[in-house]
């Protein structure tokens, strides 16, 4: 039987890791581990989950981040959702670091790294006179480079020291590329080793946060994204508020008309208000149906299926905010981005306010949503029964 794919809220990961025995998150975690051990469910990690969970920390808290990375690795068993730009019809989780952009994974293909190593080695040998003219001529062919590498293993250390990219440098230091060039391991094995050693959750934290000091896409950039949308949400809110005020005034005038107390001027005023009411409603409707514009969300449109479903959910979120059912917060925006994976899983966890929007709007796949963590085990059991019956 096909394993269920379950998408967890980042808060679930935090709560389950820190929960004390007897607490709800601990009880749920134990049950999820049983599902995993029985091979009936998997809990892949996405790009958004990783960066919400693995945030930069001061040196004194770095150990905690590596413990988080170990928890992610143990919990997911290496399963991950494709990077959101790489989602296609029929995309499914795979074991490996596929939450990383495919373009980045291609960079760390051993064939590409081997070609890069040969180029850099030739430059170093030439610039630093690490070999004679005959050696330099040999480097032009793969067989000659292999022979040179066997005789001059220190070349790898020279390349590693002068490589500006920390991650590439670490890969070279692992000796996988040298073994591949010398024919000791094949391409598939080499790539598996590289991804396991250099692109695991802990390794990515090391080179992305500790070495690179990069901004976090799900915290630093999310705040910027929210600020860029604040004006649009306020515009929509005002249009909806104006439409409600006009509707209330129209209702009052209609009562006057029905009672016979309304004069000609009131009737004209009613017609004016109805025209304005329709105009304001049209503004709000057109606004909500327009594609959201932001650097991060625009990239979702590279994934046809993801962008289509995302836009439907985004419109419902806009409408809920405009009707003041929810507040526009960074947390809500984060949930909105996580929802891009809703079509690609069997069950999807989200907080109550966001799941209410999905249920109220009857968005596609909203039947997959679980609004409370404590309900997740029983929802998994129900889904397993349905799958067994089908």
């Amino acid at each position: 039987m096909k394993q269920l794919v379950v998408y967890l809220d980042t808060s679930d990961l935090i709560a389950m890791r820190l929960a004390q025995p007897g607490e709800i998150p601990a009880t749920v975690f134990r049950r999820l581990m049983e599902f995993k051990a029985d091979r009936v469910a998997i809990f892949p990690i996405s790009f958004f989950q990783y960066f919400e969970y693995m945030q930069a920390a001061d040196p004194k808290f770095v150990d905690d981040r590596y413990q988080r990375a170990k928890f992610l690795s143990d919990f997911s068993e290496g399963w991950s959702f494709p990077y959101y730009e790489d989602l296609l019809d029929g995309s499914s989780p795979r074991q490996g670091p596929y939450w990383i952009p495919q373009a980045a994974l291609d960079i760390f293909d051993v064939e590409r790294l081997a070609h890069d190593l040969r180029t850099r080695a030739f430059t170093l040998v030439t610039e630093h006179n690490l070999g004679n003219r005959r050696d330099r001529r040999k480097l032009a062919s793969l067989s000659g480079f292999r022979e040179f590498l066997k005789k001059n293993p220190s070349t790898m250390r020279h390349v590693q020291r002068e490589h500006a990219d920390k991650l590439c440098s670490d890969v070279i230091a692992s000796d996988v590329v040298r073994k591949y060039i010398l024919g000791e391991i094949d391409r598939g094995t080499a790539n598996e080793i590289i991804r396991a050693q250099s692109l695991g959750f802990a390794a990515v934290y090391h080179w992305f946060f500790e070495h690179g000091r990069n901004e976090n896409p799900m915290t630093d950039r999310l705040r910027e994204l929210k600020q860029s949308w604040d004006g649009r949400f306020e515009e929509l809110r005002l249009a909806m508020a104006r439409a409600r005020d006009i509707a209330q005034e129209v209702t009052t005038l209609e009562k006057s008309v029905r009672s016979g107390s309304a004069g000609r001027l009131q009737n004209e005023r009613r017609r004016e208000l109805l025209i304005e009411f329709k105009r304001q409603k049209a503004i709000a409707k057109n606004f909500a149906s327009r594609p959201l514009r932001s650097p991060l969300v625009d990239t979702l449109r590279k994934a046809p299926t993801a962008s289509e479903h995302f836009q439907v959910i985004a419109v419902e979120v806009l409408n809920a905010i405009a009707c003041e059912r929810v507040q526009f917060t960074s947390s809500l925006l984060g949930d909105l981005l996580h929802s891009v994976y809703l079509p690609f899983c069997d069950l999807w966890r989200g907080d109550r306010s966001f799941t209410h929007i999905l249920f109220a709007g009857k968005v596609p796949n909203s039947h997959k949503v679980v609004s409370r963590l404590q309900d997740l085990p029983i929802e998994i059991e129900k889904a397993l029964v349905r799958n067994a019956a089908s």
Side-chain angles (χ1 to χ4, degrees):
M1 184 169 61
K2 179 179 175 293
Q3 296 185 98
L4 289 178
V5 177
V6 182
Y7 192 98
L8 289 171
D9 190 79
T10 309
S11 63
D12 298 340
L13 300 172
I14 296 170
M16 290 190 299
R17 175 175 166 258
L18 299 176
Q20 297 299 313
E23 294 179 344
I24 289 175
T27 303
V28 172
F29 178 71
R30 185 174 64 253
R31 190 72 184 100
L32 298 187
M33 292 300 95
E34 292 171 357
F35 289 130
K36 188 178 74 167
D38 291 339
R39 300 298 177 191
V40 295
I42 57 174
F43 307 93
I45 300 302
S46 73
F47 173 88
F48 297 132
Q49 287 171 317
Y50 180 85
F51 281 107
E52 268 191 341
Y53 189 62
M54 297 291 294
Q55 300 182 26
D58 291 333
K60 61 182 178 181
F61 297 118
V62 165
D63 285 346
D64 171 76
R65 297 304 186 263
Y66 284 109
Q67 289 172 19
R68 291 188 184 193
K70 185 177 186 307
F71 175 81
L72 284 184
S73 181
D74 293 343
F75 181 67
S76 68
E77 290 191 334
W79 287 94
S80 66
F81 287 97
Y83 181 63
Y84 60 88
E85 286 188 27
D86 299 326
L87 289 168
L88 299 170
D89 282 331
S91 286
S92 59
R94 299 165 62 187
Q95 283 190 298
Y98 296 100
W99 60 275
I100 295 173
Q102 185 61 49
L105 293 178
D106 291 342
I107 291 174
F108 295 98
D109 182 272
V110 71
E111 186 66 34
R112 183 168 180 169
L113 290 168
H115 181 270
D116 179 71
L117 178 62
R118 283 179 60 192
T119 302
R120 291 176 182 276
F122 183 81
T123 301
L124 282 172
V125 168
T126 303
E127 292 179 353
H128 299 282
N129 293 319
L130 298 178
N132 55 38
R133 185 177 299 176
R134 184 169 175 271
D135 288 332
R136 289 195 289 272
R137 282 200 301 270
K138 281 186 176 181
L139 289 175
S141 68
L142 179 58
S143 58
F145 182 64
R146 285 174 176 164
E147 183 181 340
F148 177 82
L149 207 55
K150 289 178 181 177
K151 294 180 179 178
N152 302 273
S154 63
T155 303
M156 300 291 290
R157 291 195 298 273
H158 286 293
V159 172
Q160 178 198 348
R161 281 198 298 268
E162 300 208 7
H163 208 305
D165 189 293
K166 177 68 165 60
L167 181 53
C168 287
S169 173
D170 288 348
V171 171
I172 292 172
S174 70
D175 216 26
V176 178
V177 181
R178 184 189 67 83
K179 289 181 178 179
Y180 170 71
I181 292 172
L182 296 179
E184 297 175 11
I185 54 177
D186 61 28
R187 184 176 183 178
T189 302
N191 281 333
E192 285 181 10
I193 295 172
I194 290 171
R195 291 174 179 180
Q197 293 182 350
S198 303
L199 298 176
F201 295 129
V204 171
Y205 180 84
H206 172 65
W207 61 259
F208 188 89
F209 287 117
E210 287 191 280
H211 179 77
R213 303 292 178 183
N214 292 292
E215 287 188 331
N216 189 317
M218 284 299 286
T219 53
D220 303 319
R221 294 181 187 174
L222 199 62
R223 284 191 289 270
E224 296 173 8
L225 181 57
K226 179 181 179 300
Q227 290 172 2
S228 71
W229 285 3
D230 275 335
R232 288 201 59 205
F233 283 129
E234 184 60 22
E235 179 188 339
L236 176 60
R237 192 192 303 277
L238 290 174
M240 295 291 284
R242 175 63 177 152
R244 286 196 299 271
D245 291 343
I246 294 170
Q248 183 62 41
E249 191 170 347
V250 168
T251 301
T252 302
L253 285 172
E254 284 178 338
K255 289 179 181 178
S256 298
V257 170
R258 285 195 299 269
S259 67
S261 62
R264 183 175 60 82
L265 290 177
Q266 283 182 307
N267 281 325
E268 289 179 357
R269 174 61 178 159
R270 178 178 175 276
R271 283 193 293 271
E272 291 172 0
L273 287 173
L274 284 173
I275 293 171
E276 178 63 14
F277 174 69
K278 291 178 180 179
R279 192 177 75 85
Q280 293 292 335
K281 289 286 286 185
I283 290 173
K285 183 179 179 180
N286 291 336
F287 178 95
S289 63
R290 289 203 309 267
L292 295 169
R293 306 299 298 178
S294 77
L296 182 56
V297 176
D298 280 348
T299 60
L300 292 169
R301 292 183 177 82
K302 297 179 182 179
T305 303
S307 63
E308 176 186 345
H309 288 280
F310 178 84
Q311 191 60 41
V312 172
I313 296 172
V315 169
E316 289 303 325
V317 171
L318 279 167
N319 288 329
I321 291 170
C323 296
E324 299 181 351
R325 293 200 299 270
V326 295
Q327 293 295 315
F328 178 46
T329 62
S330 295
S331 174
L332 177 64
L333 183 53
D335 287 332
L336 178 58
L337 295 176
H338 283 289
S339 70
V340 75
Y341 288 100
L342 189 52
F344 303 97
C345 61
D346 297 297
L347 293 171
W348 187 93
R349 264 280 298 133
D351 65 30
R352 286 190 182 184
S353 62
F354 189 75
T355 55
H356 175 73
I357 294 172
L358 301 182
F359 290 141
K362 298 179 181 179
V363 302
N365 299 294
S366 58
H367 64 280
K368 300 177 180 180
V369 175
V370 181
S371 61
R372 302 194 308 169
L373 176 61
Q374 55 263 47
D375 295 335
L376 186 57
I378 192 167
E379 292 300 328
I380 291 176
E381 290 171 358
K382 289 178 181 178
L384 290 172
V385 170
R386 288 194 298 269
N387 287 358
S390 61

